[in-house]
Amino acid sequence: MSALMEAVRAGRTAEVVGLLDGLTDPERRAFLPELKDLRKELRTAPWGHPSRHAYPTLHAAGAACETGAAAAVSWIAGSDMRWSQSSAALLIHILGDRDASWLADVTHRLAGRPASAGVSYELMAGLVRLSGCPVPTTETYVQAWVSHTGQLWQLGDTLFERLRRDPHLAELTAALFETNEVAGPMEWSSRENVDGWVDAIARLTVEGALDRKRTADACVTRLLRGGSTLDQRAFLRVLKGLALTREEERAHIADWLALASDAVPTVASHAQGVLGSLALDGELTPRRLAEMSDAVLFRSEKKLVRAQLVLLGKVLARDASAAAEVLPALAFAFGHADTEVQERALKLVERHLKKVDSPEVRAELAAAADQLIPALRARAVETLGAAPATAAAVVHEEVLPPPPVPTRLAPVPVSAVELAEEVGALLASDGDVTAFERALDGLVRHTYQDRDALVEALGPVFARRWWDSPDPVSVRADNHFSRKHNGLNSAAESLDLLLATLRDSVHTATLHDAVQHGGSRSPVCGHSPLSGAFDARIWEVAYRIRAEPLPFLLSTPSWSTGLLEPDELVARLDTYRRLGARVSTADFAQALLRVRRGDRAAAAAAAERAAALGTAEGGRLARWLSSGEPVLPTSRRRSAGARVQLEFGELVSLQADFPAGFRELGQPTTVYGERWYCYHWNRDMQQHWLAILPELRELVAVRLVREVSAAAVDDTRGAATVLPSLAESDGAAGEATHLCLAYGLGARHPGDRLAAVDALLVLAARGQLDGDRLGTDLGQLVRSGAVKPSRLAESMRTGAATGANTSIWGILRHTLTALLADLDGDIKPAPARGLGDLLAVAAECAERSGARGELPHLAQTADRTGSSRLVTQARRLRSALVTGVAA
């Protein structure tokens, strides 16, 4: 070993630098093979191994010995040495004797690397100074410049002073406005309140260090590009800091119009303010103002739309000649979702229509009046001469999405290689119930047919699993799974157990102990019975793979929902009989819970064939199929603070003849007996729980009520994502399902509310939605404070927008009856906040569905004085229910 390599391995950097000084390029290249071998060696060294201390020295030595610019950059920016690099100062010293053109090439290649490469800014900037090359303006370099310059607070000066001394200020600032992902560093606060990028750029512009026109144009152009809210906010602050003059604002009128139309709300609001100021000063033509209004009134943000209506009112009051150009723009507001916007727009038209002599403008406004709600449409008939509305034109037919259709499970792959590929893909993606069940059955079948061939095909899959690592410090699979008797946390972990069993990485005693005692644990939370049944089947399958392989699984579902056709189960039992195979207790229990009993004719025919098999399992199946459709236990409601929870009594049919791991499914559920701790953090498992009881989803729903309620009460994210799967499941959609849905509709996060709306539409399309029950539940939850009316209004508005007006009205009429009853007194209760929004959705649904009749307690609210949103929408709803469509 050479002296240089000994010094590198020992981490003696100073000695390495001395040995490299004065060497020629061929002499340096001669060390590269040994340096590369050491690099390969260190890549496989365990973290914390003493040999890894050589990394910084190796990093410097390799950079010095690579004589090609591309190769040197590849070495310097290598990902394996990112966290153990030598210092920028040392690299600059080592590379300092190279040719200037070579250094410039290296500099620009480093700056061209992605920002994720973590190239040091000090290194790139030092090479720029050393080579005298033009400063790079790549995203990587500019992002590093912004971060580095903004963090040099330890120098004792301000960001403004540091930027003013920068010799490349003009080039880098120009590039700043074209670079992505710089808004975050620009927004970071510094130790002085005024020492930030906004203030620094403004002051540098005033001083003349930056060209004012070029900076302002670049800032506006950046806002026109769009981007994240953080990005837009940062550059908007820069633009405001420049304090554009009126002349500069006039030069960008076309840009302000584009920003008011398409930019994020904060930027659009600023553009709207600039254009509004110009319009009030007479510096914006009526045609441009109308163009601006067409764009802004089309937006959904109420604040922007209302501000535009106020602006139009002021302009029309000052300049009567603008009416002919401006009033037609108000037609866009006639179709706005907010009825208050519609009413304000109509008032403006009514107030200023006399200033217009053009019959074309009047005809245009009259035609647009078709978009107004019925009450306003009646006014437009008188003031604009609009055509009277007809019931056929206003009342819409209920539109619901087609109900989801379950899919058949495809056959298990014939070859072990194909199965191994599917298993690998499933582990990488955490697939659905269909993919998991096919993989599970495939592993069982191929183990029975040719275990050696299966193990060989699974070799690449084994190599990617953590438990197959050759690293001696890794945890062995047996030690890991021996602690998993209380629960497998995911479908992937279940597959890992089966794969590790096939790999002989789990002891038979561990598997046997889990089968014997895994189901005897005490419940930890409400989910424990569901996870216990799932785990019992997996552990028994794993044990049988080792001790007595099964020919195939009896419980593999026929459909994606988990349902198993009875004639298929009878055929499988017949094959077991012919093969003389011993049935797995847990597998057969799961098959019974999945077999379809709702189709009584098919169940009766299959029961006869099952009884004719003459086996104990055939007789058990025949009795199960003959016992009738699944029934639900008795229920009782409990209140705990704002929450409304549900308890179920015992379900006797799930107690007898079922193994211990499944009996808990039929035991009573109580909200007081549960512990607070829950380790079921993986919500992907919920779809597998529903597949355990595909005809008894209420037994799953009752154990999900508390978790789903957290989406509304505790503002957790993702707790309601299970609702579409719950709606697509089979069996009665009863009290527990509708209570879960009620909580989901009042969830804090839009994604959860959207999932709840999807579930509502699925239930409605399948004819399983009980609007009376759901509306009553929602009224109770709003009154208790668990659900906020404003959130519920958003969910109901989304559902109504799909065309489900009749279904939404059927729900809201019960919710509003409960909430309006609380408004009889003079003091408004807490739930009154946001009730106006809920009334607006109800009024729209009533208008579009043609609902008629009285709503209890509505008249008291509608007869109140004032013009609040609550009162206005109550009057609108009463008008729709009593008078219908105005003639």
Side-chain angles (χ1 to χ4, degrees):
M1 182 184 297
S2 65
L4 177 67
M5 291 306 301
E6 289 183 1
V8 170
R9 286 184 174 276
R12 299 193 295 268
T13 305
E15 183 179 342
V16 169
V17 172
L19 291 172
L20 290 172
D21 280 345
L23 295 182
T24 64
D25 285 352
E27 290 173 335
R28 295 186 180 191
R29 284 196 296 268
F31 289 110
L32 281 175
E34 291 182 280
L35 292 173
K36 291 179 179 179
D37 289 342
L38 176 58
R39 185 177 179 181
K40 291 179 182 179
E41 178 186 328
L42 294 184
R43 282 175 182 166
T44 60
W47 188 262
H49 194 274
S51 64
R52 295 178 67 92
H53 293 304
Y55 257 130
T57 308
L58 174 64
H59 187 247
C65 292
E66 290 283 10
T67 56
V73 169
S74 178
W75 186 282
I76 292 170
S79 59
D80 56 328
M81 293 188 282
R82 185 176 305 165
W83 307 110
S84 303
Q85 296 183 358
S86 54
S87 68
L90 177 60
L91 290 175
I92 292 171
H93 171 74
I94 288 176
L95 301 176
D97 59 349
R98 302 296 181 94
D99 182 75
S101 61
W102 188 92
L103 291 173
D105 190 9
V106 168
T107 303
H108 284 271
R109 287 177 181 271
L110 286 173
R113 287 271 172 162
S116 58
V119 180
S120 165
Y121 171 76
E122 293 93 333
L123 174 60
M124 292 187 290
L127 291 175
V128 169
R129 292 191 300 269
L130 194 62
S131 66
C133 66
V135 64
T137 55
T138 63
E139 284 199 356
T140 295
Y141 193 92
V142 176
Q143 289 172 7
W145 173 67
V146 172
S147 298
H148 178 80
T149 308
Q151 293 176 2
L152 290 178
W153 54 268
Q154 64 269 32
L155 295 180
D157 54 5
T158 64
L159 175 63
F160 166 73
E161 293 168 342
R162 294 194 293 275
L163 289 174
R164 186 166 56 177
R165 295 194 303 267
D166 195 317
H168 307 292
L169 175 64
E171 301 97 311
L172 292 174
T173 304
L176 175 69
F177 292 102
E178 300 176 358
T179 303
N180 296 318
E181 299 182 15
V182 293
M186 288 176 64
E187 288 278 276
W188 289 339
S189 60
S190 54
R191 60 191 181 94
E192 296 181 30
N193 293 333
V194 297
D195 184 20
W197 283 92
V198 174
D199 177 71
I201 291 177
R203 291 175 62 187
L204 289 167
T205 304
V206 171
E207 282 193 356
L210 294 174
D211 181 81
R212 180 176 180 83
K213 184 179 185 306
R214 184 179 180 185
T215 303
D217 291 348
C219 196
V220 173
T221 301
R222 178 56 184 260
L223 294 176
L224 287 169
R225 280 177 50 191
S228 66
T229 301
L230 176 63
D231 181 279
Q232 296 284 279
R233 185 173 64 237
F235 286 100
L236 178 61
R237 288 182 57 202
V238 173
L239 181 64
K240 289 180 177 180
L242 295 176
L244 300 185
T245 65
R246 179 52 56 91
E247 182 180 356
E248 290 171 328
E249 290 177 342
R250 282 198 303 269
H252 289 282
I253 285 180
D255 298 327
W256 305 131
L257 289 171
L259 291 173
S261 172
D262 298 321
V264 297
T266 52
V267 176
S269 179
H270 175 75
Q272 183 185 43
V274 173
L275 290 171
S277 177
L278 291 170
L280 293 176
D281 290 345
E283 299 185 72
L284 190 69
T285 64
R287 182 176 296 276
R288 283 294 183 95
L289 178 59
E291 181 183 347
M292 169 195 177
S293 301
D294 288 349
V296 175
L297 294 178
F298 191 73
R299 296 184 65 124
S300 60
E301 296 88 357
K302 296 178 183 179
K303 183 178 179 181
L304 290 174
V305 173
R306 291 174 180 174
Q308 190 66 21
L309 293 176
V310 171
L311 172 63
L312 291 178
K314 292 180 179 179
V315 171
L316 290 171
R318 295 186 181 191
D319 183 7
S321 64
E325 293 277 3
V326 172
L327 282 182
L330 290 169
F332 284 96
F334 285 178
H336 199 275
D338 187 353
T339 58
E340 290 185 7
V341 170
Q342 293 186 19
E343 185 172 13
R344 290 187 184 191
L346 182 59
K347 284 182 178 179
L348 278 176
V349 172
E350 292 171 338
R351 187 179 304 133
H352 299 285
L353 186 62
K354 59 183 179 292
K355 301 176 182 179
V356 178
D357 297 328
S358 171
E360 290 81 7
V361 171
R362 290 175 175 266
E364 183 179 350
L365 290 170
D370 290 343
Q371 305 172 79
L372 294 169
I373 62 173
L376 298 179
R377 176 74 176 276
R379 285 169 49 182
V381 170
E382 298 178 3
T383 60
L384 302 178
T390 62
V394 176
V395 178
H396 295 182
E397 184 180 353
E398 176 89 333
V399 177
L400 293 171
V405 178
T407 58
R408 271 273 188 181
L409 261 71
V412 170
V414 176
S415 72
V417 174
E418 185 179 353
L419 174 64
E421 291 176 352
E422 290 196 8
V423 171
L426 179 59
L427 288 168
S429 63
D430 274 344
D432 57 10
V433 171
T434 301
F436 175 78
E437 292 292 342
R438 287 185 69 244
L440 188 63
D441 190 34
L443 290 173
V444 170
R445 287 176 182 268
H446 282 278
T447 300
Y448 183 82
Q449 295 167 8
D450 190 341
R451 177 189 174 115
D452 293 338
L454 176 61
V455 170
E456 182 180 356
L458 288 170
V461 180
F462 294 150
R464 292 192 296 268
R465 308 313 295 166
W466 59 267
W467 43 263
D468 201 51
S469 171
D471 192 337
V473 301
S474 66
V475 180
R476 294 183 64 236
D478 189 72
N479 293 337
H480 173 80
F481 287 112
S482 65
R483 297 193 297 270
K484 285 294 178 180
H485 291 181
N486 284 332
L488 299 166
N489 292 329
S490 65
E493 191 167 42
S494 303
L495 287 176
D496 268 326
L497 171 62
L498 300 180
L499 294 175
T501 301
L502 286 168
R503 187 65 162 168
D504 293 330
S505 297
V506 181
H507 294 157
T508 304
T510 299
L511 302 173
H512 184 265
D513 183 62
V515 171
Q516 294 296 315
H517 306 291
S520 62
R521 63 191 185 282
S522 59
V524 176
C525 65
H527 304 137
S528 294
L530 298 168
S531 65
F534 179 88
D535 293 350
R537 175 176 172 238
I538 298 299
W539 279 108
E540 191 161 318
V541 167
Y543 176 70
R544 291 294 297 270
I545 283 177
R546 175 66 54 76
E548 186 182 356
L550 299 165
F552 51 80
L553 291 179
L554 296 171
S555 58
T556 301
S558 307
W559 301 96
S560 55
T561 58
L563 274 177
L564 172 58
E565 293 299 333
D567 56 340
E568 291 186 31
L569 180 54
V570 173
R572 293 173 187 176
L573 285 175
D574 187 31
T575 303
Y576 262 66
R577 178 186 62 80
R578 287 188 287 102
L579 294 175
R582 185 170 64 88
V583 171
S584 164
T585 304
D587 183 40
F588 183 58
Q590 178 62 90
L592 292 177
L593 294 178
R594 283 179 171 169
V595 70
R596 186 194 298 273
R597 291 190 290 163
D599 186 342
R600 295 309 305 150
E608 293 183 7
R609 294 195 299 272
L613 293 177
T615 63
E617 289 78 15
R620 175 77 177 93
L621 175 59
R623 293 191 298 274
W624 181 257
L625 291 173
S626 302
S627 62
E629 296 185 27
V631 297
L632 295 175
T634 58
S635 63
R636 178 173 58 178
R637 293 202 168 201
R638 296 277 193 181
S639 296
R643 277 185 171 87
V644 175
Q645 299 185 70
L646 197 62
E647 295 181 335
F648 272 6
E650 184 181 34
L651 193 60
V652 179
S653 61
L654 293 186
Q655 300 298 303
D657 298 329
F658 276 90
F662 289 81
R663 289 176 197 156
E664 292 177 9
L665 293 171
Q667 292 177 359
T669 60
T670 170
V671 299
Y672 298 114
E674 297 179 8
R675 303 180 187 177
W676 288 104
Y677 174 72
C678 176
Y679 62 88
H680 303 98
W681 49 266
N682 189 344
R683 293 195 174 103
D684 288 339
M685 287 300 296
Q686 293 171 344
Q687 60 179 325
H688 296 281
W689 295 344
L690 285 166
I692 293 174
L693 297 162
E695 280 195 323
L696 282 168
R697 64 173 150 197
E698 282 288 282
L699 292 187
V700 181
V702 74
R703 293 177 169 89
L704 296 176
V705 168
R706 180 175 182 84
E707 180 175 359
V708 177
S709 71
V713 180
D714 302 325
D715 295 348
T716 59
R717 188 189 298 272
T721 54
V722 68
L723 294 179
S725 298
L726 184 65
E728 293 175 18
S729 191
D730 289 292
E735 192 173 5
T737 298
H738 282 79
L739 187 57
C740 285
L741 182 57
Y743 279 118
L745 292 170
R748 162 66 176 83
H749 297 284
D752 286 302
R753 293 199 299 270
L754 187 59
V757 173
D758 287 344
L760 185 153
L761 295 175
V762 169
L763 289 175
R766 300 181 70 187
Q768 298 174 336
L769 180 66
D770 188 337
D772 297 355
R773 168 177 279 167
L774 179 58
T776 302
D777 285 346
L778 287 169
Q780 184 180 4
L781 294 178
V782 171
R783 296 176 74 183
S784 71
V787 168
K788 292 179 172 57
S790 57
R791 297 177 184 174
L792 178 59
E794 286 294 323
S795 296
M796 295 291 100
R797 186 177 294 111
T798 302
T802 67
N805 295 287
T806 301
S807 296
I808 299 300
W809 167 245
I811 297 167
L812 288 180
R813 65 189 181 93
H814 293 281
T815 304
L816 291 173
T817 297
L819 301 182
L820 292 174
D822 294 337
L823 300 181
D824 287 347
D826 295 332
I827 301 177
K828 295 181 182 179
R833 184 175 183 180
L835 186 53
D837 293 333
L838 207 56
L839 281 166
V841 179
E844 182 175 354
C845 290
E847 292 163 354
R848 295 188 180 278
S849 64
R852 300 292 180 268
E854 293 187 2
L855 186 67
H857 310 291
L858 177 62
Q860 296 94 309
T861 304
D863 290 337
R864 291 187 176 192
T865 59
S867 59
S868 66
R869 183 167 178 79
L870 175 67
V871 175
T872 301
Q873 295 303 323
R875 293 169 183 165
R876 176 189 172 191
L877 178 56
R878 181 175 63 176
S879 175
L881 294 176
V882 176
T883 63
V885 179

